[in-house]
Amino acid sequence: MHVDLFIHSAAQLLTLASDGPKRGVAMEELGIIEHGAVAVKDGLIGLVGPTSEVRGQVTAAEEIDAAGKVVMPGFVDPHTHLVFASDRADEFEQRIKGATYMEIMAAGGGIMNTVRATRAASLDELVAQARERLDEMLAHGTTTAEAKTGYGLDIENELKMLEAIWILDKAHPIDLIPTLLGAHAVPTEYQGRAEEYVDLVIDEMLPLVVQRGLEELWGRKEEAPAAPPLFCDVFCEEGVFTLEESRRILTKAKELGLGLKIHADEFSSLGGAALAAELGTIAVAHLLCTPPEEMALLAEAGTIAVLLPGGTFGLGQRAYADARGLIAAGVPVALGTDLNPGTCWCESMQLIAALACRFMEMTPAEAIVAATINAAHAVRLGDQVGSLEVGKKADILILDIPDYRHLSYRFGVNLVDKVIKGGGGSAVPSATLRTGLTTGLVVGGLHLA
Ligand code: NIG
Ligand code: FE
């Protein structure tokens, strides 16, 4: 087979091969091939195996010697609020001085603070600010990411956010999966009239944004399966959206054919996890105070728990989600950054894995599973990314470490040597990548940095 790229001699090649999301003890299995090799053809994985076996089967346009290094699939970040304007450094300081996240939100700051800035920003400004974050994500090994709206909170601005995501998906190597989060907060102009805002989301915002998002931006007509999955998410939380409001919004989203997600049990337990199981939600995020009986419901429904230790760390809290309890209950666990300006401005899945090991007692292997194959399933792309298997996208990391456990063990620096984004997105000229990137980036076989 003549291939575009042949990566060989890896100390460890982690395939993450799996039929579906991994649960229980399977979350420890990385599918390690020592002296491993992977061959890339037309943006897809052509062959994977021991170097001694693969070498004889390929001639390659380009070779990379990964001796002494770990080769693994690119990270999938299944939960980000990537697109936003400005920052909330002032609130960070207020929290250090004692104010809580929910107090700041109740006083009109928090999410609304970013909503005001995002509404005031032009589409171009939103794209430019988010692009810098995407460059950091790519440099740190993320090759696919979910991106939520939710800082517009009116039809015009939610559409503007969706358009920014669409532009970035096209313009940047990272593939983006859009999620509508019109129910991220009740905007100030609807204060005291939450029910009316929920009606607006259900009757107007969701149908319109779905139509414009799928038909105009992603060009999906009936039956065209090529469009990316589109999700709907709700922030189900005391002082934000009640369980009943969350149920109404997600039920409507389901009718419209959207994949479902929910932010549940971040600060209080309202029954959001049980609702997720009941509605067949693909992923449920946060789960900091989920009762054991609701964990059992998630396991039964096959809902993926997306844990976000960066948010807990970012808020300086001490109590993390019970990853051990979820894994023991049989819930597939994924990890995400939750990248957002309020609780976690962090682009690096490497740091998230390091936090998961220390504060949620996940093993280094479980953290890698959670950040790749399980995260891919959490955005319904488990058949395309998240593992190095023949036919999947050639989204590959070469890490400058001799053993997979160094990922999580070492933190605070970038362990990525090269990112190969072969399977999608279009190549960006190197000039648009931030200067100072030390990562070698290969896009579609093309070296960019
Ligand atoms: O996932 N919890 C709700 N949303 C985000 C925070 C968003 C913000 O504060 O801007 C989260 O933590
Ligand atoms: Fe979030």
Side-chain angles (χ1 to χ4, degrees):
M1 181 191 285
H2 186 74
V3 299
D4 304 314
L5 178 63
F6 176 47
I7 303 167
H8 62 84
S9 311
Q12 295 178 329
L13 182 140
L14 318 180
T15 67
L16 278 299
S18 179
D19 288 339
K22 285 175 173 281
R23 308 166 177 238
V25 291
M27 281 194 64
E28 292 261 23
E29 291 160 13
L30 298 175
I32 300 176
I33 301 175
E34 289 184 2
H35 306 294
V38 54
V40 177
K41 190 174 172 61
D42 300 329
L44 302 177
I45 310 261
L47 277 174
V48 194
T51 301
S52 56
E53 285 175 24
V54 179
R55 186 182 287 288
Q57 298 176 53
V58 296
T59 54
E62 186 181 348
E63 291 196 13
I64 298 177
D65 184 345
K69 296 178 179 161
V70 167
V71 172
M72 62 173 279
F75 293 117
V76 177
D77 188 343
H79 186 126
T80 85
H81 305 257
L82 163 76
V83 178
F84 58 85
S86 193
D87 65 73
R88 306 213 308 259
D90 52 341
E91 294 182 2
F92 170 58
E93 190 176 49
Q94 286 169 32
R95 284 202 308 273
I96 289 171
K97 291 181 175 169
T100 69
Y101 178 79
M102 293 310 284
E103 281 166 7
I104 292 170
M105 184 168 179
I111 291 170
M112 272 317 292
N113 195 340
T114 301
V115 169
R116 285 185 287 273
T118 303
R119 285 177 177 174
S122 69
L123 177 64
D124 288 350
E125 285 163 348
L126 282 184
V127 167
Q129 292 183 32
R131 187 196 290 269
E132 291 193 9
R133 301 190 272 270
L134 277 175
D135 289 345
E136 290 293 355
M137 289 163 71
L138 186 64
H140 288 82
T142 297
T143 46
T144 301
E146 184 250 23
K148 300 178 195 292
T149 68
Y151 293 119
L153 306 189
D154 60 30
I155 290 171
E156 179 194 340
N157 287 291
E158 285 292 300
L159 276 171
K160 182 173 72 180
M161 290 193 70
L162 193 63
E163 190 159 0
I165 296 168
W166 177 76
I167 290 169
L168 290 160
D169 179 46
K170 292 265 168 298
H172 197 278
I174 292 183
D175 289 317
L176 293 178
I177 317 303
T179 294
L180 309 178
L181 183 54
H184 196 190
V186 177
T188 315
E189 63 272 21
Y190 278 86
Q191 208 154 44
R193 299 185 294 134
E195 208 56 25
E196 276 177 55
Y197 183 67
V198 173
D199 289 342
L200 173 83
V201 170
I202 290 174
D203 298 333
E204 296 175 49
M205 190 185 287
L206 277 178
L208 238 166
V209 174
V210 166
Q211 184 198 1
R212 174 129 164 74
L214 284 183
E215 291 174 12
E216 290 179 39
L217 293 178
W218 274 273
R220 176 152 101 180
K221 304 280 169 265
E222 299 292 299
E223 271 108 36
L230 185 62
F231 286 92
C232 176
D233 196 346
V234 179
F235 188 12
C236 178
E237 184 59 53
E238 206 168 287
V240 193
F241 292 96
T242 66
L243 186 68
E244 220 23 66
E245 290 163 348
S246 304
R247 181 195 302 280
R248 286 183 58 209
I249 292 164
L250 291 176
T251 302
K252 176 67 179 193
K254 197 172 181 177
E255 276 167 33
L256 290 168
L258 300 181
L260 307 185
K261 298 188 171 191
I262 186 167
H263 284 64
D265 305 338
E266 183 175 2
F267 300 102
S268 56
S269 172
L270 301 185
L275 179 67
E278 176 194 324
L279 294 178
T281 297
I282 308 290
V284 51
H286 290 293
L287 302 177
L288 270 87
C289 45
T290 307
E293 56 278 14
E294 292 192 46
M295 293 184 186
L297 295 174
L298 292 176
E300 205 178 309
T303 306
I304 298 174
V306 176
L307 303 185
L308 308 165
T312 313
F313 180 76
L315 289 172
Q317 293 172 345
R318 302 291 186 267
Y320 285 73
D322 182 10
R324 289 264 58 92
L326 287 158
I327 293 171
V331 181
V333 169
L335 287 169
T337 58
D338 198 14
L339 168 59
N340 76 77
T343 66
C344 185
W345 190 328
C346 169
E347 288 94 343
S348 170
M349 289 291 282
Q350 297 175 56
L351 180 65
I352 299 304
L355 295 174
C357 291
R358 285 167 185 77
F359 297 116
M360 304 197 298
E361 293 90 36
M362 290 175 73
T363 64
E366 286 171 337
I368 291 172
V369 165
T372 55
I373 187 67
N374 281 8
H377 282 285
V379 292
R380 290 205 295 207
L381 288 181
D383 58 339
Q384 295 176 40
V385 295
S387 64
L388 300 182
E389 294 179 271
V390 172
K392 280 197 164 181
K393 290 186 182 179
D395 294 353
I396 305 169
L397 305 184
I398 303 176
L399 303 176
D400 203 358
I401 54 177
D403 173 312
Y404 73 85
R405 291 170 297 192
H406 281 238
L407 184 66
S408 291
Y409 163 50
R410 291 158 62 178
F411 57 92
V413 292
N414 190 1
L415 300 171
V416 169
D417 173 40
K418 286 188 173 56
V419 182
I420 290 98
K421 177 61 192 175
S426 44
V428 283
S430 56
T432 66
L433 281 169
R434 275 176 95 152
T435 50
L437 269 187
T438 52
T439 301
L441 175 72
V442 187
V443 174
L446 201 81
H447 281 278
L448 292 183

